[in-house]
Every structure is written in C-alpha cells, then in structure tokens.
Amino acid sequence: GKHWTVNEVRALIRIWSDKNIQQQLEGTVRNKRIFEQVATRLQKFGIDRDWKQCRTKYKNLKHEYKSVKSAQDSGSTSKSMKFFNELDAILGHCTMEQGSKSDN
C-alpha cells in the first residue's frame, strides 16, 4: 500500500494509546474487529486506511519498538526509531513476557 505519513502514524498511535483499544488488543489474537474500529477512527482524521493496513502498521511498529527496546536493554544505543517515546508510553508497561527482567 502507499507509505504512511508521519501524521498518519501519529494518528494511529493516538488511537492505539486509548486504554480501551489497548485492553482489547492485549486480550485477543483475532483482532480484525478492533482494527476495523481503528480504521474507522482514522477516517475521522481524514485518513483512509483499511483494517489490514492498520494491523500491518501496528505489527511493524510493535516489532520495531521491541527490537530497539531490547537493543537498549543490552546497552546498545545505536538503534533508534522515530516514534519510540510514544510507543514506550504504550508498550513500556507490558514488558516482554519471555525472559524475566532483572534490574542490573
């Protein structure tokens, strides 16, 4: 599909940061219905994306965030991403389930 603009990603993250949406996403794997809601809300911002595009972007952002986060946890500062702080505010609290987190 066409490239996501900064404003589009910001809008997606804003919707994603809604506690209600987060709870729904955390509780399910079959999330088409949730991303249909997300797409509908994006349309209110004048952003035309279907649920599949929203889900793909969400997955990509989440994956990128996790790889940057784990690089940081291992002491590397070379990896970074554009919306890290915004995503950290959403995803930072639900730390990766695999591997117990030790404070060093």
Side-chain angles (χ1 to χ4, degrees):
K2 69 182 199 320
H3 217 66
W4 285 71
T5 67
V6 169
N7 281 344
E8 288 176 330
V9 178
R10 282 234 163 83
L12 179 68
I13 292 171
R14 189 177 304 139
I15 294 165
W16 178 7
S17 69
D18 180 326
K19 285 275 177 283
N20 189 17
I21 296 280
Q22 281 179 58
Q23 282 166 352
Q24 291 183 64
L25 285 169
E26 278 169 30
T28 185
V29 183
R30 288 191 169 75
N31 48 21
K32 177 183 175 190
R33 202 173 44 80
I34 303 162
F35 284 105
E36 284 172 342
Q37 282 177 44
V38 170
T40 303
R41 287 170 71 169
L42 280 176
Q43 278 163 3
K44 291 183 181 134
F45 292 114
I47 296 164
D48 189 27
R49 295 286 180 182
D50 64 28
W51 71 270
K52 276 187 178 151
Q53 291 172 307
C54 293
R55 188 175 65 181
T56 301
K57 190 64 184 172
Y58 161 82
K59 284 184 167 172
N60 291 345
L61 283 167
K62 201 170 172 179
H63 178 76
E64 193 182 354
Y65 167 81
K66 282 186 171 180
S67 69
V68 171
K69 184 82 170 167
S70 63
Q72 286 183 355
D73 289 348
S74 64
S76 163
T77 52
S78 59
K79 264 181 114 75
S80 69
M81 67 180 283
K82 196 167 209 148
F83 301 100
F84 184 81
N85 291 338
E86 290 96 322
L87 292 174
D88 198 44
I90 301 171
L91 297 169
H93 66 92
C94 49
T95 47
M96 271 59 98
E97 292 85 275
Q98 318 89 289
S100 57
K101 203 163 159 58
S102 59
D103 295 322
N104 44 10

